[in-house]
Amino acid sequence: MRLQSYYKFLFVREPFERLLSAHENKFVKRQWPQFRILKFERDINKKFSQVDPSAGWNVTFKRFVYFLNDFGFNQDDHWAPYARLCLPCDIEYDFIGHFKDMPEEAAYILKKTGMDKEVTFPEFVTHNTTGKLLQKYAPVPREKIAELAKAFEEDFEMFHFDFPGPLLSLLRDYLD
């Protein structure tokens, strides 16, 4: 099997942070092909315009969460759970790293594969979604956040992310 001869690695990101990053990248900064943006905007706003009615045509994070919980986890790789997207139970990865540790772990991968003599890892720029998590998730009903957590349960467990992790202060009363 060809895959056995390759050094296989995967970087994973905390699920709540990953969803917020996907929303900001695709619907706020609009870094996506226009036809994809318009398709998702139309679908999300058609179904969830009553969520955040004052937002007009904007796909707010709250609308995005409603959409994901009802339709969207498998509609795009940017927000599909890693357990389904990257097949970690089927592919024997040599290394699984965490997004928050990428500069150090990428250097390790380059050294491990001998590529450190050929290339360098570029400057790593984060979009500081960690700092925005509580602000963006606060307006979302707790039961909707719990639905997200359920959808990403395998990712939380498989990649050792604490649940509810960065959203503990929001969900503390809900989980009691």
Side-chain angles (χ1 to χ4, degrees):
M1 181 174 185
R2 177 182 278 179
L3 210 51
Q4 292 173 344
S5 65
Y6 291 101
Y7 186 82
K8 298 165 294 302
F9 62 93
L10 170 68
F11 278 92
V12 294
R13 192 171 193 177
E14 195 279 335
F16 292 130
E17 193 172 319
R18 183 169 168 239
L19 293 176
L20 177 56
S21 178
H23 173 266
E24 292 209 342
N25 183 270
K26 305 308 175 210
F27 300 107
V28 177
K29 295 177 182 166
R30 303 177 76 76
Q31 296 173 339
W32 219 10
Q34 188 69 14
F35 74 93
R36 299 225 4 123
I37 293 170
L38 294 175
K39 180 211 179 307
F40 278 102
E41 277 181 341
R42 184 186 64 240
D43 293 350
I44 292 169
N45 286 319
K46 184 176 175 183
K47 179 77 175 164
F48 301 105
S49 61
Q50 79 284 4
V51 176
D52 288 344
S54 64
W57 190 244
N58 294 319
V59 175
T60 63
F61 185 66
K62 187 175 178 181
R63 285 183 188 174
F64 181 63
V65 168
Y66 273 74
F67 166 75
L68 291 175
N69 281 328
D70 283 8
F71 300 105
F73 292 110
N74 294 319
Q75 291 192 14
D76 192 84
D77 292 348
H78 292 96
W79 49 76
Y82 291 122
R84 286 184 246 159
L85 179 65
C86 301
L87 306 172
C89 294
D90 297 332
I91 297 173
E92 197 171 316
Y93 286 94
D94 298 295
F95 182 86
I96 297 177
H98 287 88
F99 183 82
K100 67 180 179 58
D101 302 321
M102 191 177 290
E104 298 84 19
E105 292 177 340
Y108 168 81
I109 290 170
L110 291 175
K111 187 171 179 75
K112 178 81 173 164
T113 60
M115 292 300 296
D116 61 328
K117 295 165 184 56
E118 305 294 325
V119 297
T120 57
F121 189 70
E123 183 181 340
F124 185 69
V125 179
T126 70
H127 299 289
N128 194 25
T129 50
T130 304
K132 299 175 187 174
L133 279 170
L134 292 176
Q135 172 196 355
K136 294 294 186 172
Y137 277 92
V140 177
R142 303 307 173 252
E143 64 272 6
K144 293 294 180 185
I145 297 172
E147 288 175 36
L148 288 179
K150 184 72 175 156
F152 286 87
E153 188 171 29
E154 284 181 282
D155 286 1
F156 277 104
E157 187 176 318
M158 193 177 304
F159 302 115
H160 308 286
F161 291 112
D162 293 330
F163 174 79
L167 299 184
L168 177 61
S169 63
L170 284 178
L171 295 176
R172 184 173 285 123
D173 293 338
Y174 182 81
L175 296 172
D176 290 340

